[in-house]
Amino acid sequence: YLVVTWPDNVYERKKATKDGLQARGQWASKAEFLLAVAGQIIGLGNVWRFPYLCYKNGGGVFFVPYLLFLVLCGIPLFLLETSLGQYTSLGGVSAWRNMCPLFGGLGYASQVMILHGCVYYIVILAWALLYLSYSFQAELPWSHCNNTWNTTACRRTPLPLSWSFGSECNIFRVLIMRLETVLVLTPAACVLRREVLRLSSTLDGLGPISWKLALCLATVWLICYFCVWKGVKSTGKVVYLTATFPYVMLFVLLVRGATLPGATQGIIYYLKPNVTRLADPQVWMDAGTQIFFSYGICLGSLTALGSYNKYNNDCYKDSFMLCLLNSATSFLAGFAIFSVLGFMAEEQGVDIGTVAQSGPGLAFIAYPRAVAMMPVPQLWAVCFFLMIIMLGLDTQFVSLEALMTSVTDLYPHLIRRGHRRELLLLFVCIVCFLVGLVMVTPGGLYVFQIYDHFSCSGASLLLLSIFQSLAIGWVYGAERFSANIRDMTGYSPLPFFNLCWKYLTPIVCTVSNLHPLTCIPLCYELFVVKKISGFICVPLVCLSISEVGFLFHHLQSRK
């Protein structure tokens, strides 16, 4: 009993209201589950990170390490978490405490990471919403240097190659530099730096809150609240829009990009193989990073979403379908992005390496610059930023739903009564909004980058992946878990998955953890990063210690 217990909540979802408790609920159809998971795992990283990684790390050759990590880590862990939720009918914390109490701390750690992610991830959506409002102007502000915030540093000419934004760090480095030291900034960079972020030169002066960004942030939080406030009843309906609309926009942008001059050259740069890049360890680290971040592994969201399935749902096939959809979306997004970047490079007469960017630099500098060169630029700007908002929105509110599911399952008799869940959700949203206000100040970008690098770091995800595999593979038993999946689906998963859970996945994750996955150097004072990141890690440490204390107390009580 101290090591493993059979879940006592398997058939709870079939019960009606009991003892005054509201029913836990479940997906109205399988489509709701598939769309919710797709919305969670298919996000901004598929559009603004994977295409650049593929281009930077040898084109088509990058698929070798990417597929290796996908087969050995991505799919096995994806199936593990989804099946765990469906079998126990519980959220991330309670599922682990029921299946394997010794590793109950895994659930707490994942929820802390989700909470940190909810605070900073939504700030990107606030930026995108502000850009969307600018996209309706008669003349796009990032197409010229005649705005009130522009200075003599603004030039419509391309940046020198030595200043190309080849990485997210270079983006922030150029933005953080004092304006008088910058020889030239494009109109798009000026919009981001001087109008949207209104960036200060140092972290010690956060400055006043930007009311425009604060209003956008409040709007996005309000939307998220009403997407989640009725649980899966509301979430399951909203995902029909938020999970499918980005594909419509992606298809529109892909068709438009393919018809632009220079598109072919951009796609060649995207996929042109360079076998020698496989000898670089960083290529393999980038592949592992992309798998862990884009598949939502170890965040507890997959477990929470799976917990609302019917017990006999075929989660085995669902996992394969969703993993295939995720990777295919990343691959397809590369064509939409690099066809446009190829057009921009040809229009400016520069190498595509000068304009290729990753992360926020792609969404808020490179792509707006390219859109400004097209006919009817307002239309394509609206399409692009709507896609960005929808991609991030469903990831945000599904993560919020996963957090609420875990908390509600921990204290069902306290929360599942009356309107307590809605009030708790409102409290969480308000607190996260107030914390996020720090990131819409002139110094907010520094805080944002600290969250981005440390709150859901690759090292943390790898560590959780190792312990999840050990918990199921060795403590609970891989064969026993496969029998649970057979009980739900009617057939056993491939023996390969038992091999992954016991050996391959923990070995690959351990080897990868020897090298930090977040190798991008930060662009400001290191001591500040260490100080603040230390405080961010405190909740994780406290939860781990409390879990060990709980286990010790339990062992003592059994004697």
Side-chain angles (χ1 to χ4, degrees):
Y1 176 79
L2 295 179
V3 178
V4 292
T5 59
W6 287 95
D8 55 5
N9 201 35
V10 175
Y11 300 103
E12 182 191 1
R13 69 179 68 225
K14 298 182 179 180
K15 299 178 181 179
T17 303
K18 183 179 180 180
D19 298 331
L21 295 182
Q22 296 176 352
R24 188 175 187 273
Q26 63 178 187
W27 302 114
S29 65
K30 186 171 184 174
E32 290 186 1
F33 165 70
L34 295 176
L35 289 174
V37 177
Q40 161 67 18
I41 64 177
I42 299 173
L44 299 177
N46 297 76
V47 173
W48 74 18
R49 180 172 171 80
F50 177 85
Y52 176 79
L53 289 180
C54 192
Y55 153 77
K56 185 186 77 169
N57 293 316
V61 172
F62 181 68
F63 287 99
V64 174
Y66 179 83
L67 292 176
L68 183 64
F69 273 96
L70 175 62
V71 172
L72 297 182
C73 299
I75 298 178
L77 290 173
F78 193 96
L79 174 62
L80 185 155
E81 295 190 29
T82 306
S83 304
L84 178 67
Q86 180 171 313
Y87 185 68
T88 60
S89 298
L90 293 170
V93 176
S94 300
W96 282 107
R97 291 178 69 93
N98 275 264
M99 289 286 281
C100 193
L102 185 64
F103 287 84
L106 291 173
Y108 288 107
S110 64
Q111 298 312 304
V112 171
M113 294 177 70
I114 281 187
L115 185 59
H116 282 308
C118 286
V119 170
Y120 89 92
Y121 188 83
I122 198 170
V123 175
I124 302 175
L125 304 185
W127 299 346
L129 186 59
L130 186 57
Y131 268 79
L132 178 64
S133 66
Y134 289 152
S135 300
F136 292 97
Q137 295 184 9
E139 189 175 12
L140 295 178
W142 48 82
S143 64
H144 60 87
C145 293
N146 299 325
N147 301 291
T148 57
W149 58 79
N150 290 130
T151 66
T152 55
C154 180
R155 294 287 187 278
R156 297 188 64 177
T157 54
L159 294 176
L161 182 60
S162 59
W163 280 13
S164 65
F165 301 144
S167 69
E168 295 178 40
C169 185
N170 289 336
I171 277 285
F172 291 122
R173 181 181 295 116
V174 173
L175 289 175
I176 290 170
M177 290 170 63
R178 293 183 180 275
L179 188 59
E180 58 267 20
T181 66
V182 179
L183 299 180
V184 58
L185 282 177
T186 62
C190 281
V191 171
L192 181 60
R193 174 185 170 128
R194 296 188 59 85
E195 170 62 9
V196 176
L197 300 178
R198 299 187 179 183
L199 198 63
S200 63
S201 57
T202 59
L203 177 60
D204 54 2
L206 290 177
I209 294 174
S210 169
W211 67 268
K212 290 183 180 180
L213 280 180
L215 182 60
C216 291
L217 185 63
T219 302
V220 180
W221 267 117
L222 188 64
I223 295 173
C224 287
Y225 174 78
F226 284 108
C227 288
V228 182
W229 76 313
K230 291 298 182 182
V232 291
K233 292 181 181 179
S234 56
T235 303
K237 302 302 182 290
V238 175
V239 291
Y240 279 101
L241 172 65
T242 58
T244 57
F245 185 79
Y247 282 97
V248 177
M249 292 295 97
L250 185 61
F251 179 75
V252 170
L253 294 173
L254 175 62
V255 173
R256 178 56 182 148
T259 60
L260 293 172
T264 303
Q265 192 65 19
I267 294 174
I268 291 175
Y269 267 87
Y270 168 48
L271 295 177
K272 185 178 180 180
N274 182 5
V275 182
T276 60
R277 294 288 293 147
L278 289 177
D280 186 356
Q282 187 59 42
V283 174
W284 297 81
M285 294 300 101
D286 286 342
T289 302
Q290 183 63 21
I291 290 296
F292 280 94
F293 280 101
S294 67
Y295 277 79
I297 296 171
C298 299
L299 295 177
S301 54
L302 298 177
T303 303
L305 297 177
S307 70
Y308 293 107
N309 276 331
K310 296 180 180 179
Y311 182 74
N312 293 322
N313 176 64
D314 195 343
C315 56
Y316 185 69
K317 288 184 179 179
D318 291 346
S319 297
F320 278 100
M321 290 171 51
L322 290 166
C323 289
L324 178 62
L325 177 65
N326 188 13
S327 296
T329 302
S330 299
F331 180 67
L332 182 65
F335 289 92
I337 296 301
F338 270 84
S339 60
V340 174
L341 294 182
F343 159 73
M344 184 167 67
E346 180 170 299
E347 287 290 303
Q348 296 180 347
V350 297
D351 186 85
I352 195 171
T354 307
V355 298
Q357 301 176 28
S358 174
L362 172 66
F364 301 110
I365 294 182
Y367 211 92
R369 285 175 59 193
V371 164
M373 301 176 186
M374 300 179 188
V376 198
Q378 292 82 359
L379 173 63
W380 308 114
V382 169
C383 289
F384 178 73
F385 288 114
L386 276 177
M387 181 184 70
I388 292 296
I389 291 172
M390 290 295 181
L391 281 172
L393 185 62
D394 50 10
T395 300
Q396 175 73 18
F397 73 71
V398 170
S399 297
L400 192 60
E401 173 63 42
L403 178 64
M404 290 301 301
T405 297
S406 296
V407 176
T408 303
D409 287 341
L410 273 176
Y411 308 102
H413 294 279
L414 179 64
I415 299 176
R416 281 165 48 187
R417 296 179 185 275
H419 298 286
R420 294 181 183 181
R421 185 187 185 277
E422 290 87 343
L423 293 175
L424 177 61
L425 174 63
L426 180 62
F427 174 77
V428 171
C429 291
I430 291 176
V431 171
C432 290
F433 167 73
L434 294 177
V435 175
L437 287 178
V438 177
M439 302 182 199
V440 296
T441 62
L445 182 64
Y446 303 91
V447 182
F448 173 87
Q449 199 178 5
I450 292 172
Y451 265 84
D452 190 36
H453 280 82
F454 292 96
S455 63
C456 299
S457 66
S460 301
L461 294 176
L462 282 174
L463 190 62
L464 291 180
S465 300
I466 294 171
F467 282 106
Q468 281 191 6
S469 302
L470 293 177
I472 294 298
W474 293 97
V475 181
Y476 186 81
E479 293 77 12
R480 188 181 183 184
F481 192 66
S482 294
N484 298 150
I485 297 177
R486 182 176 66 248
D487 185 55
M488 293 186 293
T489 63
Y491 58 92
S492 299
L494 293 173
F496 170 75
F497 287 101
N498 293 344
L499 190 64
C500 286
W501 293 329
K502 295 182 71 173
Y503 304 105
L504 298 180
T505 300
I507 289 175
V508 171
C509 292
T510 302
V511 172
S512 301
N513 211 19
L514 298 178
H515 303 276
L517 291 185
T518 51
C519 298
I520 302 175
L522 297 182
C523 311
Y524 36 81
E525 297 85 347
L526 187 59
F527 78 93
V528 174
V529 176
K530 289 182 177 179
K531 293 288 186 183
I532 299 181
S533 64
F535 286 110
I536 292 177
C537 294
V538 166
L540 282 174
V541 176
C542 292
L543 285 173
S544 301
I545 294 175
S546 65
E547 188 65 22
V548 172
F550 166 80
L551 180 62
F552 178 76
H553 174 75
H554 192 66
L555 288 172
Q556 292 291 336
S557 63
R558 294 284 295 177
K559 290 184 179 180

